[in-house]
Amino acid sequence: MEIAVISGKGGTGKSSISAALATIAAPVVLADCDVDAANLFILFEPTHEEEIVYVGAQNAVINYDLCLNCGTCADYCRFDAISFVEGRITIQEINCDGCKLCSRICPAKAITMVDSDKSRIYSGTFRNGKMVYGRLAPGEENSGKMVNIIRNKAKEIAKKNSFETIILDGAPGIGCPVISTIAGVDKVVIVTEPTMSGLSDIERTIKTVSKFNVKAYVLINKYDLNEEMTDKIIDFCADSEITVLGKLPFDKIVVDALSVRKSVIENAPGSELSLEIKKIHKKLIPN
Amino acid sequence: MKQSDKIKIAIASGKGGTGKTFVATNLFYSLKKRDYDVDMVDCDAEEPNCTIFISGDLVGSTDITHKVPVIDEIACAYCDKCRQYCNYKAIFLLPEAKIIKVIEELCHGCGACSVACEYGAIREKDVVQGEVNRYRLDNGCYLTEARMKIGVMSPVPVIKAAINKAGENNIKIMDSPPGTSCPFIHTVARADYVVLVTEPTPFGLSDLRQSIKTLDGMDKRYGVIINRAGLGDTKTYDYLKTNNIPLLMEISFDRKIACHYSKGELIAKEDIQWREKFIDLFNNILKHYGDSGN
């Protein structure tokens, strides 16, 4: 079973909850799909058994020995990436979308496409099973494609080791890395918090998830920061026919566990919070 | 209105939920209250939240579109050239069965397929990617919001459009999306100075390093705010000191702040001392921006 843990809003506690679930559900494959801010490897310090070079987008590069400075490429580029700078045709790498049209239409064949190959995907063993995670090179694009490769790797490892559960820790937001994380999974857990922002974000997240045929659950973290807002979120979920898995109080023990590189279940197994998470796990994965 | 030098400040963070929007909205409010000529841009197009904290009159809403191909199956020769030209795998083609389809979600609107087609079989239609909303506030300030349409893959076109449509005031505060990939890059690329908001935990530090690597690669000036100080450990402070990175502000963990925020309230509105703190932050930013020789 593939379970994705996501949250529209960042910082609601996705990764801490993924880590806790991965501890309870062990042995698991834990896949960190938050590729531009991967964190779970810090907590679980997996071994490096395999490294995959990930080629993301391409960038257009001009060979000035051949360039006629005619400006045809600038006319065709729809991403405002090519313009004359001090009289010379110039590509702004940041705006280049990698569509390759400039390279195809250049009359002097002066533009080539260069792969960005600095991103990596790693897999290895950690104390609760196997782990797959990506490290997108700073500034790299196309994180959705990387998430797809991570998920395929996770499935392959799960099959090989006969692990039943794959937990995907997703990115914040609702764009391409998140869509790639939830497409085709069995269950999605949306972790939220009782703030106006949390409520606004969960509305957008639920709408995004509803475009896919997956069972969605909501978990309200730090519920005691604003109980009135917690009730509003519960009402909203009832209206949207989404099951609320449970609510967790704000507790410093989550950060304390993180500081000693442990999940909250590992560091404080008998705590009220841990017991609550175990109940949530049971609801999510009934035996 | 107070005149000041032009500066665009992006409030960003690698990790989500560190307090970007909290800092951006309170900084904006404090400057506005002090009569600075300031505008705000909400660049977090996937989950825009600034309007929860800052309200104004909606004075304009623009759909942001891109061009997606429409294939005329009668004119199409199923020659495969458009599929070869598409670098995003957005054209699905089975020549023998004469099946050709555009997968609109994958299309980036580059126009390569139209260029490729030799049979005049491709025309284009506008597809909405999101909207840019402009709100007029008091004191001649504007809030421009990028709002991606749900289900769209990339917020970048909407972010770029929102920054282009931002107000005319000299100071611009941009609330950035989290992370270090394209949405973040396209926001900070347009900023003169970047404020990175972090929290003093191992996750916060790891993401901060990633953000800094990205900004160094872009030759951007930046400083750091540590939010929820008192939680976690001291490693973030050590890192800033070792690398000579300015610590612009510290915000202690305080349930009261969290509670105000949860209700959609601005602490700088409720508490004049906080307004002063955000004005100090602005002066700190100007000082470091000036020192960096820009």
Side-chain angles (χ1 to χ4, degrees):
Chain A
M1 185 178 347
E2 226 185 344
I3 299 169
V5 182
I6 62 163
S7 75
K9 188 175 175 336
T12 57
K14 256 185 327 294
S15 299
S16 299
I17 286 165
S18 300
L21 289 175
T23 309
I24 303 168
V28 295
V29 181
L30 179 60
D32 198 332
C33 299
D34 186 3
V35 292
D36 53 331
N39 281 146
L40 286 170
F41 74 94
I42 300 168
L43 199 71
F44 287 128
E45 299 169 318
T47 59
H48 275 183
E49 281 159 25
E50 194 183 351
E51 181 177 324
I52 303 169
V53 176
Y54 167 74
V55 178
Q58 292 186 313
N59 273 316
V61 177
I62 298 174
N63 176 352
Y64 286 105
D65 292 340
L66 299 175
C67 176
L68 306 170
N69 215 32
C70 65
T72 308
C73 52
D75 294 340
Y76 277 89
C77 178
R78 289 192 179 173
F79 301 99
D80 301 324
I82 313 180
S83 57
F84 286 97
V85 176
E86 289 167 5
R88 189 165 90 154
I89 201 82
T90 306
I91 296 177
Q92 282 173 293
E93 200 188 310
I94 282 171
N95 282 333
C96 176
D97 202 72
C99 75
K100 205 179 172 178
L101 183 56
C102 56
S103 161
R104 297 188 198 274
I105 52 87
C106 175
K109 303 249 173 292
I111 304 178
T112 47
M113 302 303 290
V114 177
D115 285 344
S116 341
D117 56 2
K118 293 192 182 64
S119 302
R120 296 287 180 275
I121 294 169
Y122 302 99
S123 62
T125 305
F126 78 115
R127 53 188 182 268
N128 297 318
K130 298 281 180 183
M131 206 167 149
V132 188
Y133 65 103
R135 295 286 274 166
L136 202 63
E140 199 57 66
E141 307 202 5
N142 224 343
S143 45
K145 187 176 154 194
M146 189 179 210
V147 168
N148 287 334
I149 298 173
I150 290 174
R151 282 182 61 188
N152 286 336
K153 190 80 213 166
K155 278 183 214 163
E156 180 195 311
I157 293 173
K159 202 171 168 193
K160 205 167 128 193
N161 293 278
S162 308
F163 290 171
E164 277 177 18
T165 311
I166 299 173
I167 294 175
L168 310 174
D169 186 31
I174 55 169
C176 70
V178 177
I179 289 175
S180 297
T181 303
I182 59 180
V185 298
D186 299 289
K187 290 175 181 179
V188 173
V189 180
I190 306 166
V191 182
T192 188
E193 61 177 34
T195 62
M196 293 275 283
S197 309
L199 180 61
S200 158
D201 293 351
I202 203 174
E203 288 177 19
R204 287 172 67 78
T205 306
I206 286 174
K207 276 187 195 154
T208 307
V209 173
S210 69
K211 290 181 184 288
F212 299 88
N213 185 25
V214 299
K215 176 86 180 129
Y217 300 87
V218 164
L219 198 171
I220 305 169
N221 197 12
K222 310 173 203 170
Y223 82 89
D224 50 340
L225 284 182
N226 187 336
E227 302 209 20
E228 204 185 317
M229 197 60 70
T230 295
D231 292 340
K232 268 191 195 165
I233 292 174
I234 292 173
D235 289 346
F236 177 77
C237 290
D239 291 344
S240 315
E241 295 177 2
I242 305 265
T243 311
V244 176
L245 275 178
K247 47 185 197 179
L248 300 172
F250 175 82
D251 198 328
K252 216 177 149 290
I253 62 170
V254 178
V255 180
D256 292 344
L258 189 56
S259 297
V260 293
R261 306 268 199 278
K262 283 181 176 170
S263 74
V264 69
I265 304 284
E266 291 168 326
N267 203 42
S271 64
E272 213 172 298
L273 190 79
S274 292
L275 297 177
E276 202 55 43
I277 298 175
K278 283 178 189 163
K279 274 190 217 160
I280 285 167
H281 167 257
K282 236 184 206 138
K283 267 194 220 170
L284 187 65
I285 315 173
N287 298 316
Chain B
M1 198 175 263
K2 256 182 217 173
Q3 286 307 309
S4 58
D5 292 336
K6 273 186 188 286
I7 184 167
K8 285 185 194 156
I9 303 166
I11 316 293
S13 74
K15 187 176 172 333
T18 56
K20 276 181 306 296
T21 305
F22 171 78
V23 170
T25 51
N26 279 290
L27 173 62
F28 171 72
Y29 180 86
S30 304
L31 290 170
K32 185 166 78 68
K33 269 286 167 204
R34 280 285 192 92
D35 283 335
Y36 280 94
D37 51 343
V38 58
D39 291 315
M40 171 139 198
V41 193
D42 190 348
C43 298
D44 191 1
E46 292 174 51
E47 303 284 18
N49 283 331
C50 288
T51 54
I52 292 173
F53 302 94
I54 309 274
S55 54
D57 299 323
L58 183 64
V59 291
S61 181
T62 317
D63 278 343
I64 305 305
T65 59
H66 76 194
K67 304 260 187 221
V68 168
V70 180
I71 297 167
D72 176 349
E73 292 181 24
I74 296 166
C76 178
Y78 301 92
C79 71
D80 200 40
K81 195 173 171 191
C82 59
R83 194 191 61 80
Q84 289 168 23
Y85 262 51
C86 178
N87 230 15
Y88 307 105
K89 300 194 168 75
I91 294 178
F92 175 80
L93 177 72
L94 292 173
E96 297 81 19
K98 295 209 166 179
I99 291 173
I100 185 159
K101 288 264 176 296
V102 175
I103 306 158
E104 289 189 7
E105 291 76 21
L106 297 180
C107 175
H108 287 216
C110 71
C113 55
S114 301
V115 174
C117 184
E118 292 165 14
Y119 300 92
I122 298 182
R123 63 177 181 85
E124 293 184 313
K125 65 173 180 184
D126 287 326
V127 172
V128 175
Q129 302 294 295
E131 59 190 26
V132 172
N133 298 314
R134 295 202 70 205
Y135 295 88
R136 187 168 46 219
L137 318 168
D138 51 352
N139 286 9
C141 302
Y142 284 87
L143 163 62
T144 308
E145 177 198 65
R147 183 171 283 266
M148 185 183 86
K149 191 178 158 193
I150 290 166
V152 166
M153 286 286 196
S154 172
V156 170
V158 189
I159 293 172
K160 282 167 114 177
I163 297 172
N164 286 340
K165 288 175 190 297
E168 300 292 318
N169 284 331
N170 279 341
I171 306 166
K172 287 191 178 63
I173 309 293
M174 298 148 79
D175 190 14
S176 166
T180 54
S181 61
C182 18
F184 163 81
I185 300 278
H186 283 276
T187 303
V188 298
R190 303 283 292 274
D192 301 304
Y193 193 88
V194 183
V195 175
L196 293 168
V197 186
T198 188
E199 50 186 40
T201 61
F203 286 179
L205 179 56
S206 166
D207 296 342
L208 178 67
R209 284 166 186 264
Q210 181 90 346
S211 309
I212 284 174
K213 246 196 243 169
T214 310
L215 293 177
D216 281 341
M218 296 171 76
D219 244 348
K220 286 285 168 191
R221 302 280 158 236
Y222 52 83
V224 170
I225 292 179
I226 296 184
N227 191 12
R228 304 192 186 106
L231 288 182
D233 52 41
T234 58
K235 291 203 175 75
T236 307
Y237 295 90
D238 301 340
Y239 170 76
L240 295 182
K241 210 174 262 175
T242 312
N243 292 282
N244 224 352
I245 297 163
L247 175 60
L248 300 167
M249 186 183 192
E250 255 186 289
I251 303 167
S252 301
F253 176 75
D254 182 346
R255 266 187 115 95
K256 202 179 83 196
I257 300 176
C259 192
H260 273 297
Y261 184 84
S262 76
K263 291 183 206 154
E265 295 167 357
L266 290 172
I267 192 93
K269 195 174 186 175
E270 312 294 323
D271 185 341
I272 195 148
Q273 280 182 331
W274 274 99
R275 211 176 299 163
E276 293 306 314
K277 284 185 194 176
F278 281 100
I279 297 292
D280 287 347
L281 167 66
F282 180 67
N283 289 328
N284 243 341
I285 292 169
L286 288 186
K287 180 175 161 278
H288 286 291
Y289 179 60
D291 286 350
S292 61
N294 278 297

